[in-house]
């Protein structure tokens, strides 16, 4: 069902990996709409995954995780994307204001404001951000950090993101986050009733993370680590204020000590 986003809505992605078929239509739609350059796509000697990971040139990444079992081989497929964290470390550390939170509660990088400092890259607990390098026909974006914008331009026009529109199985679903969470829980209940005990929701709320929940969450069929996700991701900057206050308090104690010593010396 098409959802017309309105400014002020808390919208996002629910990705149901149990019905992902690995077609990569989302990757293609993302590149076409957002003019994301084609990366060095090649056989990586790891199943049928040929993009490898999210990057400045791969805003969607379909992973193929091969699992050997007693009865043969099973596949875990999942379309990964920026998580649009509710406590976004990339936004916290950006010195130029290039990264901002939109009226849809998503996180966007403004390429024309980014100075390429790279602070956002190590700050992200999911390794989403990289800098775009070596794209000859897009020199203005060289050294600029890039990631999924959740098709911010489409949202402003009242349309859903290109990847969700292109997904043939509706593995990628877009809409208001409260409704998506309810839908995800119903789907999880069905899978558990069918005996898929390992199925779980990831980043749907704050129970399994310290990023405040996310604007993009997932239904997984195994542990997050099997999908190369951190088991309990943490936003490092959430404790930044407390760290600065502690440092200021320690500095005050040191200065007081120095002052007392100086006063004692004068006597």
């Amino acid at each position: 069902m098409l959802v017309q986003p309105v400014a002020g809505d808390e919208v996002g992605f629910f990705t149901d990996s149990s019905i992902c078929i690995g077609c990569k239509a989302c990757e293609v739609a993302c590149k076409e709409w957002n003019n994301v350059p084609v990366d060095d796509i090649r056989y990586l000697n790891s199943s049928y995954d040929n993009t490898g990971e999210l990057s400045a040139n791969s805003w969607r990444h379909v992973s193929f995780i091969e699992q050997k079992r007693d009865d043969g081989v099973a596949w875990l497929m999942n379309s990964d994307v920026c998580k649009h964290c509710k406590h976004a470390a990339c936004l916290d550390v950006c010195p130029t204001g290039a990264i901002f939170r939109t009226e849809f509660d998503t996180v966007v990088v403004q390429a024309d404001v980014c100075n390429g400092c790279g602070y956002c890259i190590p700050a992200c607990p999911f390794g989403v951000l990289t800098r775009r390098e070596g794209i000859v026909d897009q020199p203005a974006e060289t050294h600029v950090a890039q990631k999924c914008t959740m098709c911010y331009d489409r949202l402003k026009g009242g349309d859903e993101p290109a990847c969700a529109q292109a997904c043939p199985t509706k593995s990628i679903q877009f809409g208001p986050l409260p409704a998506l969470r309810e839908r995800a829980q119903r789907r999880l209940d069905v899978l558990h009733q069918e005996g898929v005990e390992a199925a779980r929701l990831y980043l749907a709320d704050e129970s399994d993370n310290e990023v405040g929940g996310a604007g993009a969450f997932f239904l997984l069929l195994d542990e997050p680590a099997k999908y190369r996700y951190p088991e309990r991701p943490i936003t490092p900057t959430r404790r930044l204020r407390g760290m600065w206050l502690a440092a200021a308090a320690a500095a005050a104690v040191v200065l007081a000590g120095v002052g007392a010593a100086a006063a004692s010396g004068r006597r």
Side-chain angles (χ1 to χ4, degrees):
M1 180 179 66
L2 180 62
V3 175
Q4 298 293 334
V6 177
D9 286 349
E10 184 190 22
V11 299
F13 291 127
F14 162 47
T15 301
D16 182 353
S17 70
S18 71
I19 55 175
C20 177
I21 59 174
C23 68
K24 305 187 184 183
C26 55
E27 289 189 9
V28 175
C30 175
K31 285 183 178 292
E32 287 186 342
W33 180 264
N34 295 291
N35 194 28
V36 178
V38 176
D39 214 342
D40 183 17
I41 295 176
R42 61 194 186 281
Y43 182 57
L44 300 177
N45 296 317
S46 59
S47 71
Y48 292 100
D49 185 345
N50 57 15
T51 44
E53 60 187 357
L54 294 172
S55 71
N57 298 331
S58 295
W59 295 4
R60 273 275 177 188
H61 164 235
V62 178
S63 58
F64 290 71
I65 300 151
E66 191 174 288
Q67 293 187 319
K68 294 182 179 179
R69 299 181 179 177
D70 293 339
D71 56 350
V73 175
W75 292 91
L76 298 178
M77 298 177 185
N78 183 57
S79 181
D80 196 13
V81 71
C82 170
K83 315 308 179 288
H84 294 271
C85 303
K86 297 307 175 183
H87 297 292
C90 61
L91 190 157
D92 289 343
V93 302
C94 179
T96 65
I99 303 177
F100 73 103
R101 189 170 295 279
T102 75
E103 63 270 32
F104 304 104
D105 204 25
T106 58
V107 180
V108 171
V109 181
Q110 301 172 92
D112 58 340
V113 182
C114 176
N115 68 357
C117 69
Y119 293 169
C120 56
I121 295 171
C124 175
F126 300 99
V128 167
L129 281 148
T130 66
R131 280 179 290 218
R132 184 167 291 170
E133 307 286 359
I135 306 301
V136 176
D137 61 346
Q138 297 183 31
E141 296 181 3
T142 298
H143 310 310
V144 171
Q146 295 278 273
K147 71 171 192 67
C148 162
T149 67
M150 207 175 286
C151 288
Y152 181 44
D153 53 345
R154 291 175 66 92
L155 299 191
K156 290 191 291 183
D159 297 319
E160 65 179 335
C163 57
Q165 186 178 64
C167 180
T169 65
K170 295 305 173 187
S171 170
I172 302 171
Q173 300 176 38
F174 169 79
L177 281 174
L180 289 179
R181 292 185 186 113
E182 291 179 5
R183 192 181 308 165
Q185 186 60 55
R186 290 196 299 270
R187 175 61 179 160
L188 181 65
D189 292 342
V190 168
L191 288 173
H192 285 170
Q193 291 168 9
E194 293 176 349
V196 188
E197 297 179 1
R200 70 198 65 201
L201 296 179
Y202 182 64
L203 305 180
D205 53 33
E206 296 187 60
S207 63
D208 61 358
N209 64 85
E210 294 183 38
V211 301
F217 67 98
F218 304 81
L219 190 157
L220 305 178
L221 298 179
D222 209 326
E223 299 174 357
K226 296 291 178 62
Y227 294 83
R228 294 191 295 178
Y229 289 145
E231 290 286 349
R232 188 172 184 84
I234 296 173
T235 301
T237 54
R238 290 190 71 175
R239 298 185 178 90
L240 195 58
R241 184 174 181 272
M243 293 166 62
W244 280 114
L245 289 174
V253 170
V254 171
L255 289 174
V258 171
S264 176
R266 285 194 296 269
R267 288 197 297 269

